[in-house]
Amino acid sequence: MADYAGRLPTPTPESQPYWDGLKEHKLMLPTCDPCGPFFYPRPFCPEPGCFSWDIDWTEASGKGKVHTFVISHQPIPPYNTEDNPPPYVIAVIELEEGPRMMSNLIIDDPYATEVDMDVEIVYDDVTDDVTLPKFKPV
Amino acid sequence: MDQIRHKVAIVGAAETDDLGQLPHMSRLALHAESARNALDDAGMSLADVDGLLCAGAIPNEVAEYLGIQPRYVDGTSVGGCSFMIHVRHAVAAIMAGYCDVALVTHGESGRSGVDMPRGGGSASPGGQYEAPFAIGGAPTTFSIPVLRHFHEYGTTKEHLAHIAAATRAWANLNPMAMMGIHRRAPERGGGPITPQDVLNSRMICYPFNLLDCCVVADGGGALVLVSEERARDFAKDPVYVLGAGEAAAHWMVSQMRDHTTADGYRISGEAAYKSAGLGPQDIDHCMFYDAFTFTPLMAAEDLGFVPKGEGGPFFAETRTGPDGEVIYKSGPGGDFPMNTNGGGLSYCHTGMYGMFAIIESVRQLRGECGDRQVPDVNVSMAHGPGGMFASAGTIILSNA
């Protein structure tokens, strides 16, 4: 894991709880009362007209759908080795709770991916410090 | 809103001497050469310039490099449409008296990478929430909305392939176009292509094959703008700004509100139409930024040239010419002339292509386009996105 070749995020103070949650295999979403959960983490609610700074963190179910996707044939780390070659799926996942997030779909045949297919989260511990939220078909 | 109509004109427009692979030129040298060429086109000198607008460089970098001290600067750098936005801002600045002669410059060593800073750190939103998923530049992100559009409206790859073929047909009429027959032999991929050639080309990032993607080039371009009164004194006919719009929507494509509609396109387009007092039916010629085949399709829909969802069949319509040749909807001889320089797909794409779209609008309005001149062009629209449908800029230009 130490030699993970993909790009890694650097958390900011505002996003630290999100990345800490993933490390514990929990998908934590910043949540506004009454607007609900949103993505990505900000210290305020981005819903137009709200701008409340009263934000809690709630755990998401980890279930969602493929909103849209592409199948990249580019050898981009970590999808650039003999064990882990392209093509691979980059997908926008619409979570059951509503927000959408970029991710990868873990699927044997990328071309079997479909818009609106049901998926669930897979926690990919790419380094000792970083867990990436990925998804697989249900 | 109509107070900007016909108050400012473009009096100079030009690219760098060459486009393509220019490893002997840095980013700032490309700005400078295009500035020289646009000023030459206007019959002006650098000493006349008192307003500077640029993207991909801090205005001070360009000012120092050129050795000028402008009294108005604008460094709006929101991607490929920055230059449409610069035109809009230059109109306002000239009307307000902030400057008299506005120079807009673009230069990018997009292929050779000579002095090209890389943006976006790992702590930025993009660095945290998109880059870790093996995002690899525009082919893997500009493609993101496409399959949602296919899913909701039945758009197909065959539809998109017609846009590539039509745009290549224009490139074959432009001696400057990188993939046109003048500059690239058929055995090296230049010259005419069919929609089937597009579908047969190498897969880059589904749903985009190689020929759905723009070229990657070094180059630059520049514009000179002055007030309408002053514009009457130039050797070449002025090209008036009738209307303009701009918008900033999302930044990361995953956060696009609706992947089948570019909010920025709508906001920017509506402002442009309103300020010009015109609608889509009044536009004779369109330059719609084409980083990929899908990009101009979204523009045609969101700017009102075709109802939402009908862009695919619209662009895939063909007819047979007198010599049995295929005439594409947006190609030479078609009834929706678009991207007549050969587009980002086949002419040149440096990274922020919008400048070249504007230059072609100016040339079509001046009647300077030779074999590719569209007859009776009096009103032209140049429109583009910045980022992945994130921002937008629209200008409506006229020769009268």
Side-chain angles (χ1 to χ4, degrees):
Chain A
M1 281 201 294
D3 57 356
Y4 177 71
R7 279 186 286 175
L8 293 168
T10 300
T12 59
E14 298 82 6
S15 66
Q16 192 68 54
Y18 169 75
W19 291 107
D20 288 348
L22 289 170
K23 215 171 144 181
E24 295 167 22
H25 290 196
K26 290 178 179 172
L27 179 60
M28 302 303 292
L29 295 178
T31 304
C32 168
D33 181 10
C35 299
F38 59 87
F39 192 82
Y40 52 96
R42 276 156 274 189
F44 56 86
C45 175
E47 188 67 24
C50 180
F51 203 42
S52 165
W53 290 65
D54 183 13
I55 300 300
D56 288 323
W57 291 85
T58 57
E59 186 176 350
S61 69
K63 292 182 170 38
K65 288 179 187 296
V66 172
H67 182 68
T68 187
F69 69 99
V70 301
I71 304 168
S72 171
H73 287 244
Q74 306 303 299
I76 294 164
Y79 300 99
N80 65 335
T81 64
E82 224 166 273
D83 296 342
N84 197 23
Y88 59 97
V89 177
I90 303 170
V92 176
I93 305 299
E94 184 166 289
L95 299 173
E96 196 171 57
E97 293 80 7
R100 293 188 198 133
M101 61 191 294
M102 194 73 100
S103 187
N104 296 127
L105 189 70
I106 310 303
I107 187 169
D108 290 337
D109 174 10
Y111 283 88
T113 308
E114 288 177 25
V115 168
D116 283 346
M117 101 195 298
D118 291 315
V119 296
E120 65 184 17
I121 198 163
V122 176
Y123 295 96
D124 190 355
D125 301 315
V126 296
T127 71
D128 291 341
D129 292 322
V130 175
T131 298
L132 295 177
K134 298 189 177 176
F135 288 81
K136 66 175 184 188
V138 175
Chain B
M1 274 288 277
D2 65 351
Q3 68 267 32
I4 71 158
R5 184 188 156 97
H6 216 280
K7 294 292 197 307
V8 168
I10 298 173
V11 294
E15 316 98 324
T16 41
D17 291 347
D18 199 6
L19 304 163
Q21 200 153 2
L22 310 171
H24 58 291
M25 293 185 76
S26 68
R27 173 178 60 105
L28 291 172
L30 293 162
H31 278 263
E33 188 176 283
S34 57
R36 181 198 66 197
N37 292 351
L39 287 164
D40 283 351
D41 186 55
M44 299 182 92
S45 81
L46 204 49
D48 298 316
V49 173
D50 62 353
L52 177 64
L53 306 91
C54 59
I58 298 165
N60 290 65
E61 278 186 292
V62 177
E64 179 188 87
Y65 197 79
L66 292 173
I68 60 173
Q69 295 180 318
R71 62 188 180 100
Y72 175 77
V73 292
D74 184 333
T76 302
S77 193
V78 293
C81 66
S82 298
F83 314 103
M84 285 79 170
I85 295 176
H86 290 157
V87 167
R88 189 177 198 232
H89 293 187
V91 169
I94 291 168
M95 288 178 68
Y98 294 163
C99 64
D100 295 317
V101 178
L103 174 68
V104 183
T105 64
H106 164 58
E108 250 177 321
S109 183
R111 186 176 188 91
S112 303
V114 185
D115 182 28
M116 290 292 289
R118 294 249 166 222
S122 63
S124 69
Q128 291 189 68
Y129 310 118
E130 288 198 344
F133 304 104
I135 304 300
T140 58
T141 47
F142 232 140
S143 47
I144 283 284
V146 180
L147 290 179
R148 191 76 209 177
H149 196 281
F150 282 20
H151 178 77
E152 293 199 10
Y153 298 113
T155 314
T156 66
K157 282 183 54 53
E158 287 76 8
H159 291 153
L160 299 184
H162 282 75
I163 294 174
T167 309
R168 179 63 65 85
W170 285 116
N172 289 328
L173 302 175
N174 181 359
M176 283 288 277
M178 289 173 64
M179 300 304 290
I181 194 73
H182 294 277
R183 284 193 64 170
R184 201 169 178 95
E187 56 272 22
R188 294 181 60 228
I193 55 171
T194 65
Q196 193 59 45
D197 291 333
V198 180
L199 300 173
N200 291 347
S201 65
R202 180 164 57 90
M203 184 58 73
I204 300 295
C205 184
Y206 182 84
F208 289 151
N209 295 63
L210 180 67
L211 294 177
D212 286 296
C213 305
C214 65
V215 298
V216 180
D218 306 323
L223 306 169
V224 182
L225 295 97
V226 300
S227 70
E228 185 224 354
E229 297 79 30
R230 191 161 175 182
R232 296 176 200 145
D233 304 333
F234 286 79
K236 291 191 178 181
D237 289 336
V239 169
Y240 299 101
V241 182
L242 297 188
E246 68 189 273
H250 55 278
W251 185 234
M252 293 186 285
V253 72
S254 60
Q255 302 303 306
M256 188 169 175
R257 186 190 62 80
D258 175 348
H259 286 94
T260 68
T261 291
D263 290 340
Y265 279 23
R266 287 186 179 275
I267 296 166
S268 177
E270 281 168 19
Y273 286 135
K274 196 172 176 195
S275 52
L278 299 175
Q281 70 283 355
D282 301 310
I283 309 295
D284 304 320
H285 168 252
C286 293
M287 292 302 298
F288 289 162
Y289 195 115
D290 57 340
F292 299 92
T293 46
F294 181 72
T295 326
L297 181 148
M298 198 78 127
E301 292 184 355
D302 288 335
L303 298 171
F305 290 89
V306 58
K308 178 50 70 182
E310 295 179 18
F314 175 80
F315 282 108
E317 193 186 298
T318 60
R319 58 189 174 84
T320 306
D323 301 319
E325 74 278 20
V326 177
I327 296 179
Y328 297 100
K329 183 82 172 182
S330 63
D335 57 13
F336 190 75
M338 177 183 85
N339 299 344
T340 51
N341 57 355
L345 293 172
S346 286
Y347 156 80
C348 175
H349 193 293
T350 48
M352 292 189 281
Y353 162 82
M355 173 58 77
F356 303 104
I358 300 170
I359 292 171
E360 177 70 4
S361 285
V362 169
R363 290 184 176 149
Q364 286 284 347
L365 288 165
R366 285 175 172 174
E368 293 177 340
C369 289
D371 291 346
R372 70 179 192 283
Q373 181 66 46
V374 178
D376 306 321
V377 176
N378 296 308
V379 181
S380 175
M381 173 182 271
H383 168 88
M388 312 305 147
F389 296 114
S391 43
T394 313
I395 55 175
I396 300 174
L397 304 172
S398 174
N399 51 14

